[in-house]
Amino acid sequence: MALLEQAYSFVNMRFLFEGLAVTLEVSVISIIFSFIFGLIFGVIRYIEVPYFSAVVGFIIDIIRNLPLLLIIFFTYFAIPELGIRMTPMSASIVALVVFESMMLAEVVRSGIQAVDSGQMEGARANGLTYFQAMRYIILPQALTKMIPPLVSQFISLIKDTSLATIIVLPELLYHAQIVYSQNTTYMLPMYVMIALMYFVVCYILSLAARYLERRLG
């Protein structure tokens, strides 16, 4: 009991919550930009622009089959060789956005394909242009169908921020390592606590997604 009181002292818990704040900041920024780019690339893949869609599809396939850790290493260690310096936070965000946007592009493409083709035909028959039909008719329906896989990817992204500890991003796992490095008996309590924090954040996101899915459904 005394061990838990020491491990979960006010100072240690405040330090963990500071790491959690960094994790959430990186996650939120990465989710926003990943969704934007994933939506753009997914639409491009779906409408099959000659040559361009093929190039985008090739890039998506390459990045989706690379380890995220490799992309983080490349962003933080290789890109500076080109004269572009990034902090651990900016490098982490760039790596996560690059990887997750490619994953989301396939989710978007699949979601659009799941919408009945008659919706587009009906919209065009009523005088809408292709892009108007896509914006006002197809995408709203597709996004509703995409909620479960999108949330699954967002949850994965939140958990994947822990990989950035390798480039010294001061996120939750990194802060926990600092705490138990001062006293190795704190290792188990720290891992239990960060597991609980990740669970709470991801579970809240899952509940929000279920609520949104019911409302839109």
Side-chain angles (χ1 to χ4, degrees):
M1 194 66 181
L3 173 62
L4 294 179
E5 290 179 358
Q6 294 172 7
Y8 298 144
S9 67
F10 174 77
V11 173
N12 288 344
M13 291 304 298
R14 184 179 65 181
F15 193 60
L16 284 184
F17 276 107
E18 289 173 357
L20 178 62
V22 173
T23 293
L24 293 177
E25 182 180 357
V26 171
S27 298
V28 170
I29 295 173
S30 299
I31 285 173
I32 292 171
F33 283 101
S34 295
F35 179 72
I36 293 172
F37 288 118
L39 187 62
I40 293 171
F41 293 140
V43 171
I44 290 173
R45 283 273 279 168
Y46 174 77
I47 62 179
E48 297 183 354
V49 179
Y51 302 110
F52 186 56
S53 290
V55 172
V56 170
F58 180 68
I59 295 172
I60 289 173
D61 288 338
I62 290 176
I63 295 178
R64 288 178 68 240
N65 288 285
L66 293 177
L68 175 56
L69 189 58
L70 175 62
I71 298 175
I72 293 174
F73 274 137
F74 181 85
T75 305
Y76 189 65
F77 294 110
I79 289 183
E81 296 296 321
L82 303 176
I84 303 173
R85 301 289 176 183
M86 285 188 281
T87 64
M89 177 173 287
S90 59
S92 301
I93 291 172
V94 169
L96 286 166
V97 169
V98 168
F99 183 76
E100 292 297 333
S101 60
M102 299 300 106
M103 304 295 287
L104 292 178
E106 288 302 296
V107 173
V108 171
R109 183 173 68 90
S110 299
I112 295 174
Q113 288 178 334
V115 177
D116 189 276
S117 59
Q119 297 289 321
M120 175 61 78
E121 295 171 0
R124 296 300 302 276
N126 281 283
L128 273 67
T129 66
Y130 183 87
F131 290 102
Q132 286 176 330
M134 183 66 71
R135 177 181 177 184
Y136 297 111
I137 305 298
I138 305 302
L139 281 179
Q141 296 182 64
L143 287 173
T144 302
K145 299 176 183 294
M146 283 185 253
I147 289 176
L150 282 176
V151 172
S152 178
Q153 282 301 133
F154 292 156
I155 289 174
S156 294
L157 186 152
I158 293 171
K159 293 183 289 188
D160 286 343
T161 57
S162 62
L163 294 174
T165 191
I166 201 70
I167 59 171
V168 202
L169 176 71
E171 45 76 58
L172 180 57
L173 182 59
Y174 184 75
H175 276 217
Q177 290 174 339
I178 291 176
V179 172
Y180 69 67
S181 67
Q182 299 171 2
N183 188 333
T184 55
T185 60
Y186 294 168
M187 183 180 292
L188 181 58
M190 286 298 104
Y191 280 134
V192 170
M193 181 54 64
I194 62 176
L196 178 62
M197 288 180 173
Y198 275 120
F199 170 77
V200 169
V201 171
C202 295
Y203 187 64
I204 290 174
L205 183 58
S206 298
L207 291 178
R210 291 175 193 170
Y211 172 78
L212 185 60
E213 191 174 8
R214 286 196 300 268
R215 288 294 300 272
L216 295 178

